[in-house]
Amino acid sequence: MRTLYQPSRDELNLATVLHALSDEIRLDIIKSLAEKGEQYCNALEIQAPKSTLSHHYKVLRESGVTHTRLEGTQRFVSLRYDDLNARFPGLLSAILKELGVKQYQS
Amino acid sequence: MRTLYQPSRDELNLATVLHALSDEIRLDIIKSLAEKGEQYCNALEIQAPKSTLSHHYKVLRESGVTHTRLEGTQRFVSLRYDDLNARFPGLLSAILKELGVKQYQS
DNA sequence: TCGTTAGTTCGTGAATTATCGAACAATAGA
DNA sequence: TCTATTGTTCGATAATTCACGAACTAACGA
């Protein structure tokens, strides 16, 4: 894929974001990203086939929960913490707290 | 139905709750409940066939987002504000804010 | 007891989502 | 240029979810 669709801050939709976050695997990804900061996909060590992971990364990216940056053969993924916090104040913090994330790593 | 399944506070699961909240119709219901307080189903005036609404009420109830109380032929539905706030502090407030709810009505 | 009201359940079809192997594309390095 | 690495896309299947008419259940009031 050449261009990655990523919605702007204004385009973030609550139902879409909540849906993206309503899956255990995707919550695992979010937790890792919050704890480790920006990572390339493989570094997250989520236990699942890569095509399955790719699907979940896509759902997260297209909902606007994560940002993906291309660098070489890798895709660096990060939480759109500021955008989410601006658009839905308190939402992400509440979720990270439940996931047991002590300190958000930018 | 004789007994309504409603999870206890401890049983609330983040992914399940987020999924229940990731639908526009159900967000409408939540908004109405937050603004008007406990209501019987019909009073919410959500535009959809009753069997469809019944489905959405069930999803909300079984996820633990709402509580249902039987009284005569009516089912009074309310937001489990305290339980949600205890289990996932800040989550519901963030969502109600995005829905444009000024003042939560208990 | 007979309507009426309120809401569930059933059954079915449509739509969406999830899973994952296999083939593919792009880049980096030897 | 060959190869290894990273991750996407395709395609097929399974599972879940949604939608909604029709039939049903329970309680209330006349």
Side-chain angles (χ1 to χ4, degrees):
Chain A
M1 190 195 284
R2 210 81 293 279
T3 52
L4 298 176
Y5 171 69
Q6 321 210 36
S8 69
R9 180 183 288 191
D10 291 346
E11 288 170 332
L12 298 183
N13 171 267
L14 181 59
T16 305
V17 166
L18 292 177
H19 173 257
L21 295 169
S22 70
D23 177 277
E24 302 286 0
I25 290 182
R26 294 197 289 265
L27 285 177
D28 265 4
I29 293 173
I30 296 308
K31 178 179 160 78
S32 283
L33 289 176
E35 286 172 344
K36 302 177 183 172
E38 186 188 59
Q39 296 285 318
Y40 67 99
C41 300
N42 247 1
L44 291 177
E45 300 176 355
I46 307 287
Q47 187 59 32
K50 59 183 184 172
S51 55
T52 299
L53 289 180
S54 193
H55 162 69
H56 289 301
Y57 285 125
K58 185 178 181 183
V59 171
L60 287 170
R61 178 172 45 76
E62 294 189 342
S63 72
V65 172
T66 61
H67 176 261
T68 301
R69 180 170 67 78
L70 303 173
E71 189 177 313
T73 65
Q74 301 177 324
R75 272 125 202 264
F76 282 84
V77 181
S78 57
L79 262 185
R80 289 178 63 176
Y81 194 90
D82 291 345
D83 285 336
L84 289 168
N85 224 39
R87 192 68 184 69
F88 312 116
L91 180 67
L92 191 52
S93 311
I95 290 169
L96 294 183
K97 182 168 186 179
E98 167 64 15
L99 295 179
V101 176
K102 310 281 190 213
Q103 180 89 42
Y104 167 68
Q105 190 66 39
S106 74
Chain B
M1 190 196 283
R2 210 79 293 279
T3 52
L4 299 175
Y5 171 68
Q6 320 210 36
S8 69
R9 180 183 288 191
D10 291 346
E11 288 170 332
L12 298 182
N13 171 267
L14 182 59
T16 305
V17 166
L18 292 176
H19 173 258
L21 295 169
S22 70
D23 177 276
E24 301 288 358
I25 290 182
R26 293 195 290 264
L27 285 177
D28 265 5
I29 294 173
I30 296 308
K31 179 179 159 78
S32 283
L33 289 177
E35 286 173 345
K36 302 178 185 173
E38 185 188 60
Q39 296 285 318
Y40 68 99
C41 301
N42 247 1
L44 292 175
E45 299 177 357
I46 308 288
Q47 189 59 31
K50 58 182 185 172
S51 56
T52 299
L53 289 180
S54 192
H55 162 69
H56 288 300
Y57 285 125
K58 185 179 181 182
V59 171
L60 288 170
R61 179 171 45 75
E62 294 189 342
S63 72
V65 172
T66 61
H67 176 260
T68 300
R69 179 171 69 78
L70 303 172
E71 188 176 312
T73 65
Q74 301 177 322
R75 272 124 203 266
F76 281 85
V77 181
S78 57
L79 265 185
R80 290 179 61 179
Y81 195 89
D82 291 344
D83 286 335
L84 289 167
N85 224 38
R87 192 68 184 69
F88 312 116
L91 180 68
L92 191 52
S93 311
I95 290 169
L96 294 183
K97 183 168 186 178
E98 167 64 15
L99 295 179
V101 176
K102 310 281 188 214
Q103 181 89 42
Y104 167 68
Q105 190 65 39
S106 73

